[in-house]
Every structure is written in structure tokens, then in C-alpha cells.
Amino acid sequence: MSSSNQIKNTRYKSNTGQTRWASVEEMQRSATKVDLSAPVYPTGGIPVMSDGHTAYLDGRDTHTLIFGATGSKKTRLFCMPTINMFIRAGESFVVTDPKAELYVRTAGFAKEHGYKVVVLNFRDIGYGDMWDPLSLPYEYYRTGRRDEANNLVNDLAATLSAPQKENSSDLLYPMMAEGLLTANMYLLFEAAAAENAVNLRSLTALCSQSSLESLKTLSGKMNNQNTIGMLFKGTLLGENEKTVSSIMTVLYGMVNIFNMNKRLTDMLCSNTFDIRMFGHEKTAVYIIVPDEKTTCHFLVTMFIKQVYEILIGEAQRQAKLALPIRVNFVLDEFCNIPKIPDMPSMISAARSRNMRFYLVAQSIHQLKGRYGEDADTIKGNCDNWIFLTSRERDLLNEISFLCGEIDAWGPGGAEKRKLISVTELQRFNKEKGECLILHGRQYPFITYMADIDEYPDFANYQVIPIPPIEIPHPNTFDVVKFTTKFAFAPEGVPFSNPD
């Protein structure tokens, strides 16, 4: 479809009531025009109009929420084109990619344009990259950046404990287990460094019942002013045996996947990339996670939260308090991954640091089911809403309500009618890419978006294989050996970490 025909087929209505449809000219003035065959774009962003040859992008520091039921072409109409536009603009991005289709379609393009391509592959362990979630928290802790280390440690503990909290009728044990998990991480930072054993394998070993007596011995010798000592003593020495045993059972459940899947654990004990560089050099990050099972979904949440927190720190160290290179998070199937802690705060603070979120969801019910009351804050911080199709009544009613009412004449005289009805919203033409866009402060807009195959310059994509990796076997901290070493040490000697 040509550019002129595409624009002619865009629906526009002029009304004299309280609302109306935005005109093509209004939408064009509010966005950045790009020739899709140009080698470089002035900005990256989601298209609000596109025929495959010319597009109008939202290049502002705004977040986007895309609603569409399964099979509505969310990926082909928006995710794939938007990622390719990031690449032409030289912007970094982090994408969730359940089926690896985003990687297949865009990674070769990124590679050709000088990007560092990172693949966290939780579907095929042994192909892609390795990420150690304890590496940067430990580095920050060791180099005196304690507040940043504490934030990262607390985020890791919160993510690992979240399933236990959600499935427990009594939050006492999960909360105490989370405190013990935090103490174990700090213990590794203090005691396992000499053995090069600060890793998830060591953490899993510390969280097992077999380490209990050794941990009790250590906690008994720690100074009461010591952070680790306080965390340990409050749990291990302050409760009866039955309570401690219950806490350890919950704790072990938090890390059980690492005990069951040794190869996955080893993959998470080394780094092949530096998260801090995402905002300093062009980086394309693909998180491939099985969508047919949820076992590894919590790792996606853990990674996204850590990337965000680390990049916030990097932004704060810049003269303009913003990342030199913009980082975009494209979170496909956003509501299928576990709740990201502090997501409302993240989405509020991201824009001024040169970060944007593109959240793809199937329904409002799904969003509220995952984020509860926070769903309204998340929706409110997204300037762009894109609607493709749905049978969900709440979503249809909200979109219809947001589009407003017009004055009309009916059998009884003047009356108010919806600019677009629920019935009309359910009849969008999928094959033409018909969708409704609420863009910034513009009036509602209905247009036809080009499918990724209609972008001639993106059609001849190169598929690059995900490279295999050699996963090293990490050292494991021997808490029994360490405890024996200090068996006769006076109380308070093993640790003296200043707080």
C-alpha cells in the first residue's frame, strides 16, 4: 500500500461535540517523520502512522501501553518495526522475546549496525550469554558503594521471595526467610571472596538445611553491631527449633530452582557483558524465556529490575543526570512475568533518565491481576495507548470512555453518544492492521499500520545463530570449613564489616 493510499485510508471524522477524531495533519505534526529507507533516523520510537515507506514516530520520552489479544499482530505491527527503528536511531533496547522471533527478525540488523548483541537464553541453556546477578552488588559492596549494593541485594531477595509471599496465608515465615536470604548474600560478600565463590551456587548451598548448624555457630560469634550478625541472630538464634526449621524450608523453596537445575545455576555464576554499558554503547538485549512454562519467568523480572537500578545509578553520575544513549524496555507479554517490584516508581522516574518502557498486555484484567491497584498508576504514566483487538468488556469500555462522547440526534432528540462504541472496537480489520491510538494529548486516532513484511528495507533481514558458550563450573563456598576455621575464635572476630 503506497504512502498516499495509506493516509487516504486513515479514518477521520469531524464532530461538533465534546470530542472528535484527530486529523492526519494533527498526528503528523505531533510526531517525527522518518523515511524508512534512510540509513539513520533522528530518533527512535513507536510508529503512530506507517505505511512501510514513511513513518511518523513518537520520539519523545514517553511510555507506551499496547493492548491486544493473542494473535492480534502486536509483535508484527509494533514490536518488530519499533526495534528496527531503535537500531537506525542508535538507541539501546532490552526486549522480552518468548519465541525468539524478535531476535530472528532484528538481531542481524543490529549486528550490521555495530550493536553489541546480548542474548539471555533461558530456553536453550548453553547458547547466548551469561549473567551473574550477584556480581555488581558484590562489586559495589566491596568498593564502598554500600547504598547501591543494599538496593540491589534487597531487590534480589524481594524477587526470589515473591512467589512464597503470594502463595502463603501467613507472611511471617516468608518475610523472615527473605531476611535470612539477605544475610546469606552479605555473608558471601564478606567470607567467600577469598575463595572466589560469591555466586548463586554458593548462595543455594547456604540456604539448605545442611548449612543450618554452621550458620548458627557463625551467628553466635558475630558482633551485635554487625549487619550480618543482626540479620542472622534475629532469625537463627531468636526463634525455637520448629520455627527455624519452617523458615529454612521456605528459604530453600526460594532457591530450589537453582538446586534442581545445575546448568542454569552455572550460567548465572559468570558474566559475559556489563549492564552499566547499556546506556553508554549501542546494545541489543534479548531475553528468551519459554512462554509454555513459567519456571524461569522470575529471572526476567530479576534481570529487568537489576538493569533498571544499575542504569539509574549510571544516569545519576552523568552531568545531565541522564544516560548518554537512550535505553528502551520492550516488554512483550508484560503481565506473564512476575510482578516487577516498584514498577510504578520505575515508570515514573525513567523518562528523565533517558529510559522508556513499551508494555505489551492482552487485557486490563491481566494487568490488574498482576499489579493490583498499581495498574492504574502504570496506565496513567503511559502517554500512548494502542488498541488492536479484545473481547474483554472492561478494556473495551475504558477505551470507548477515553475516546469521549459526541452530540447526536436520536429518536428522542439531542443525546450523547460514544465517539466509538464497544461494538465498533471489536470489528477492527486485523489484516489491514487497523488500530486505535491515544497519542499524547491528541484526539483519538484510527489508522492502518503496516505489517513488518511491508517494510521493504526491513524485509531482507539476516538471521544470525545464537552462539554456544562454555559455561564454567564455579567454586562453592564451604560454610562448614569456614566455620571450623573460626571454631575457637572469640565472639565478634569473624566479621568486622563497617556499616
Side-chain angles (χ1 to χ4, degrees):
M1 185 180 292
S2 70
S3 178
S4 58
N5 287 336
Q6 190 85 13
I7 292 175
K8 286 179 182 177
N9 285 330
T10 296
R11 194 191 310 182
Y12 167 63
K13 299 177 182 178
S14 178
N15 300 292
T16 58
Q18 297 177 359
T19 188
R20 61 175 173 83
W21 295 106
S23 69
V24 169
E25 293 74 21
E26 286 172 329
M27 293 297 289
Q28 290 175 342
R29 286 196 299 268
S30 70
T32 301
K33 181 181 179 180
V34 295
D35 176 354
L36 294 173
S37 63
V40 177
Y41 298 167
T43 185
I46 198 158
V48 294
M49 293 178 64
S50 174
D51 63 4
H53 299 275
T54 301
Y56 290 83
L57 314 180
D58 185 355
R60 303 170 302 150
D61 291 323
T62 55
H63 306 304
T64 298
L65 187 56
I66 303 173
F67 285 113
T70 300
S72 60
K73 299 181 69 173
K74 302 184 292 291
T75 301
R76 299 185 63 84
L77 297 177
F78 290 101
C79 293
M80 288 179 181
T82 300
I83 291 169
N84 279 302
M85 291 169 188
F86 291 153
I87 295 169
R88 283 287 171 85
E91 298 182 4
S92 294
F93 55 89
V94 178
V95 302
T96 53
D97 191 10
K99 300 181 180 67
E101 55 188 346
L102 296 178
Y103 175 86
V104 168
R105 195 72 191 233
T106 65
F109 197 57
K111 197 79 172 177
E112 289 176 5
H113 284 74
Y115 273 70
K116 178 177 176 58
V117 176
V118 173
V119 184
L120 272 187
N121 191 349
F122 298 120
R123 181 178 289 278
D124 295 311
I125 305 298
Y127 290 86
D129 286 272
M130 294 183 287
W131 164 55
D132 180 356
L134 292 178
S135 175
L136 284 177
Y138 170 56
E139 180 181 325
Y140 290 168
Y141 185 89
R142 180 173 51 83
T143 56
R145 295 162 62 176
R146 294 294 174 88
D147 288 341
E148 292 172 272
N150 291 342
N151 288 337
L152 295 176
V153 166
N154 291 335
D155 285 341
L156 290 173
T159 302
L160 288 170
S161 65
Q164 299 289 335
K165 292 177 183 176
E166 291 177 3
N167 298 322
S168 176
S169 58
D170 184 355
L171 291 179
L172 176 62
Y173 289 158
M175 291 296 292
M176 296 186 76
E178 183 179 329
L180 189 53
L181 178 64
T182 302
N184 282 337
M185 282 190 265
Y186 286 128
L187 172 61
L188 290 179
F189 293 172
E190 288 282 351
E195 302 175 23
N196 192 28
V198 179
N199 54 56
L200 277 179
R201 185 177 281 278
S202 295
L203 182 63
T204 303
L206 282 177
C207 294
S208 67
Q209 195 77 30
S210 60
S211 298
L212 179 57
E213 292 306 317
S214 295
L215 291 176
K216 283 183 176 180
T217 301
L218 281 177
S219 62
K221 293 182 175 295
M222 292 178 191
N223 191 298
N224 288 331
Q225 302 304 312
N226 181 281
T227 300
I228 306 172
M230 289 188 291
L231 288 168
F232 273 130
K233 288 184 178 182
T235 303
L236 299 179
L237 302 182
E239 302 291 341
N240 59 50
E241 291 296 321
K242 183 177 180 180
T243 299
V244 171
S245 179
S246 297
I247 294 170
M248 290 297 295
T249 299
V250 174
L251 177 63
Y252 188 70
M254 293 177 181
V255 298
N256 189 45
I257 184 175
F258 304 123
N259 185 60
M260 299 294 292
N261 194 330
K262 301 293 187 183
R263 191 161 171 76
L264 170 65
T265 306
D266 290 349
M267 169 190 165
L268 296 170
C269 290
S270 298
N271 277 319
T272 54
F273 58 90
D274 188 340
I275 290 172
R276 291 169 293 191
M277 298 308 295
F278 293 178
H280 297 277
E281 62 181 27
K282 297 187 299 185
T283 310
V285 184
Y286 300 86
I287 310 171
I288 300 173
V289 59
D291 57 349
E292 70 274 9
K293 55 184 178 180
T294 61
T295 310
C296 293
H297 282 190
F298 77 97
L299 292 170
V300 180
T301 297
M302 185 185 296
F303 180 73
I304 292 168
K305 188 65 166 73
Q306 185 169 101
V307 169
Y308 173 85
E309 292 292 343
I310 289 170
L311 292 182
I312 284 287
E314 287 300 301
Q316 290 300 109
R317 277 181 276 280
Q318 307 305 310
K320 296 182 179 180
L321 302 180
L323 297 172
I325 292 179
R326 182 150 59 186
V327 178
N328 301 276
F329 294 85
V330 182
L331 306 185
D332 198 4
E333 300 297 344
F334 172 61
C335 300
N336 285 343
I337 63 173
K339 181 178 179 179
I340 300 174
D342 304 318
M343 187 63 196
S345 300
M346 289 169 58
I347 203 169
S348 298
R351 286 189 286 195
S352 63
R353 272 75 171 200
N354 214 14
M355 289 186 278
R356 293 185 296 191
F357 283 92
Y358 297 83
L359 310 178
V360 183
Q362 293 182 23
S363 67
I364 282 182
H365 175 77
Q366 191 186 49
L367 184 62
K368 288 182 176 178
R370 182 63 72 194
Y371 284 92
E373 294 181 358
D374 289 340
D376 289 332
T377 304
I378 293 171
K379 290 190 297 177
N381 276 285
C382 292
D383 278 4
N384 295 324
W385 284 34
I386 295 171
F387 173 83
L388 292 161
T389 185
S390 176
R391 295 293 190 191
E392 184 198 24
R393 184 172 60 183
D394 288 347
L395 176 57
L396 293 167
N397 283 332
E398 184 157 358
I399 296 293
S400 178
F401 172 79
L402 290 175
C403 288
E405 296 178 324
I406 59 173
D407 294 325
W409 287 92
E415 60 183 37
K416 295 288 186 183
R417 291 184 182 175
K418 298 291 186 184
L419 180 64
I420 186 167
S421 69
V422 166
T423 300
E424 288 180 283
L425 286 170
Q426 295 179 78
R427 295 173 60 84
F428 283 179
N429 191 317
K430 171 183 173 181
E431 299 309 315
K432 290 184 177 181
E434 187 175 15
C435 61
L436 185 148
I437 297 177
L438 298 171
H439 167 56
R441 298 188 180 186
Q442 297 298 318
Y443 286 108
F445 186 69
I446 291 180
T447 188
Y448 303 102
M449 298 299 297
D451 182 272
I452 186 64
D453 285 341
E454 296 179 59
Y455 290 74
D457 205 48
F458 299 157
N460 299 320
Y461 59 94
Q462 176 188 3
V463 180
I464 57 174
I466 301 175
I469 48 174
E470 289 292 331
I471 301 178
H473 186 73
N475 296 332
T476 303
F477 177 59
D478 190 336
V479 67
V480 176
K481 178 181 177 181
F482 184 84
T483 305
T484 303
K485 179 179 178 181
F486 290 98
F488 302 102
E491 185 175 334
V493 169
F495 304 97
S496 58
N497 60 312
D499 294 313

